[in-house]
């Protein structure tokens, strides 16, 4: 039960209790959440406390409301491992999900952003493959992804069935690219009009932008940019820790300062 003597607000305690109830599977996806009255009676709290707890759970994407019908448990989030497996398809299949892709755009371009060419250490107007894909889980849009790959690394890539090809696997097996490491930047921002069209989001809704640069030795070979629906994705990172060492991993934080 909730601790009324705690310095932690009751609404926050209730939110965490309800969240754990959902995580442990006591309430299933799509199940209707008990009414405000039922929650008030069960946890001996006010209506205001219940409403604030439910509102925060909705903001976090744990539950959703249907006007005039009720509040329901959201679908569980897809876990995306930030290290190790690069393939979106492989990660989804391991979770018992059905991944798919729809090609939005694919072409060999000579005029890509200068920053991308700088990452690849290529001269201006160097031919670069750009593939934009809508990545789906169980036919529901999850992320919009752009891939940049210097054409000389994969000259025949655009001849493949891109909607049914695991591109990282193709690049490794058919193009002999040996992926050695990658860097990843994560930034919170909002959905643009173009992105909203494919993700089923409203314009301006918060989302995550992920940019990964994949290397083969000292050479950057892929730039992967993803705009992700925050309500459907959970990011996962596993690191090794030692009591003797504090430098097992580095977490880089960059702050935008506003005067």
């Amino acid at each position: 039960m909730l601790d009324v003597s705690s310095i932690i607000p009751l609404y926050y305690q209730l939110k965490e209790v309800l969240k754990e109830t959902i995580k442990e599977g006591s309430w299933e996806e799509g199940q209707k959440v008990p009414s405000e009255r039922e929650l008030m009676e069960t946890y001996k709290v006010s209506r205001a406390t219940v409403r604030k707890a439910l509102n925060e759970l909705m903001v976090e994407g744990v539950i959703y409301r249907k006007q005039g019908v009720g509040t329901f448990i959201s679908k569980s989030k897809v876990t995306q491992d930030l290290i190790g497996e690069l393939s979106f398809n492989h990660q989804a299949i391991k979770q018992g999900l059905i991944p798919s892709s729809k090609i939005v755009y694919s072409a060999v371009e000579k005029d890509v952003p200068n920053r991308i060419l700088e990452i690849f250490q290529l001269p201006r107007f160097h031919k670069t493959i750009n593939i934009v894909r809508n990545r789906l889980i169980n036919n529901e849009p999850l992320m919009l992804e752009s891939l940049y790959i210097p054409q000389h690394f994969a000259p025949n890539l655009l001849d493949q069935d891109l909607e049914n090809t695991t591109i990282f696997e193709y690049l490794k097996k058919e193009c002999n690219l040996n992926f050695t490491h990658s860097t990843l930047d994560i930034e919170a921002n909002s959905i643009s009009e173009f992105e909203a069209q494919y993700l089923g989001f409203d314009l301006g809704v918060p989302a995550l932008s992920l940019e990964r640069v994949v290397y083969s030795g000292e050479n950057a070979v892929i730039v992967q940019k993803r705009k992700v629906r925050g309500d459907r994705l959970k990011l996962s990172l596993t690191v090794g820790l030692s009591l003797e060492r504090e430098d097992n991993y580095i977490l880089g934080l960059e702050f935008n300062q506003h005067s």
Side-chain angles (χ1 to χ4, degrees):
M1 297 301 292
L2 308 184
D3 183 0
V4 295
S5 64
S6 173
I7 64 170
I8 300 174
L10 281 175
Y11 82 86
Y12 188 87
Q13 292 184 50
L14 179 58
K15 183 193 78 167
E16 292 302 306
V17 168
L18 296 179
K19 188 186 295 185
E20 289 304 315
T21 300
I22 294 169
K23 284 184 177 180
E24 69 188 19
S26 297
W27 294 344
E28 299 179 352
E29 295 178 11
Q31 181 177 335
K32 191 172 183 179
V33 175
S35 68
E36 291 181 358
R37 172 65 62 182
E38 290 173 305
L39 293 174
M40 290 166 57
E41 293 176 353
T42 299
Y43 295 99
K44 306 296 189 275
V45 293
S46 68
R47 186 180 298 275
T49 296
V50 170
R51 286 184 175 175
K52 191 163 186 179
L54 293 178
N55 285 338
E56 291 217 350
L57 288 174
M58 278 191 285
V59 171
E60 294 181 14
V62 177
I63 61 177
Y64 65 96
R65 181 171 292 150
K66 288 184 179 179
Q67 191 67 33
V69 180
T71 304
F72 299 85
I73 308 300
S74 299
K75 295 180 181 178
S76 59
K77 294 187 177 183
V78 179
T79 300
Q80 184 75 27
D81 190 356
L82 297 181
I83 58 177
E85 178 64 69
L86 291 171
S87 170
F88 169 83
N89 286 351
H90 290 170
Q91 288 200 39
I93 291 170
K94 287 179 181 178
Q95 297 173 59
L97 305 170
I98 302 174
S100 60
S101 299
K102 292 184 179 179
I103 300 300
V104 176
Y105 173 83
S106 63
V108 175
E109 299 180 338
K110 291 184 178 179
D111 189 15
V112 300
N114 288 334
R115 190 180 64 84
I116 300 296
L117 293 177
E118 289 174 1
I119 292 173
F120 290 134
Q121 296 184 341
L122 294 174
R124 194 177 181 188
F125 302 125
H126 189 283
K127 290 183 179 180
T128 303
I129 297 171
N130 182 14
I131 300 171
V132 180
R133 298 186 289 180
N134 198 6
R135 312 306 300 270
L136 302 93
I137 290 293
N138 298 342
N139 289 321
E140 181 181 354
L142 178 69
M143 66 177 70
L144 193 65
E145 176 188 78
S146 295
L147 292 175
Y148 292 94
I149 307 162
Q151 189 188 30
H152 63 270
F153 286 133
N156 300 316
L157 177 57
L158 295 188
D159 296 330
Q160 311 308 309
D161 178 6
L162 297 177
E163 290 193 349
N164 297 297
T165 296
T166 302
I167 291 180
F168 279 96
E169 190 172 305
Y170 173 86
L171 294 173
K172 184 176 181 180
K173 292 183 177 179
E174 303 299 328
C175 303
N176 299 314
L177 289 180
N178 179 32
F179 306 129
T180 56
H181 63 286
S182 66
T183 61
L184 179 66
D185 292 329
I186 304 173
E187 181 181 2
N189 48 30
S190 58
I191 294 288
S192 70
E193 183 176 357
F194 173 74
E195 293 157 346
Q197 175 183 349
Y198 292 96
L199 292 177
F201 254 17
D202 293 329
L203 182 65
V205 167
L208 287 176
S209 289
L210 288 73
E211 180 174 290
R212 185 193 297 271
V213 180
V214 181
Y215 290 83
S216 179
E218 296 182 355
N219 299 316
V221 294
I222 303 169
V223 174
Q224 177 193 64
K225 302 174 71 173
R226 288 173 165 175
K227 181 61 69 72
V228 183
R229 287 181 52 158
D231 66 329
R232 294 290 289 118
L233 186 74
K234 178 174 69 176
L235 303 177
S236 173
L237 174 66
T238 302
V239 297
L241 297 177
S242 168
L243 293 178
E244 288 77 29
R245 293 176 58 86
E246 296 181 355
D247 59 350
N248 286 275
Y249 68 96
I250 298 174
L251 176 62
L253 300 177
E254 180 177 333
F255 297 93
N256 291 324
Q257 299 187 25
H258 301 280
S259 57

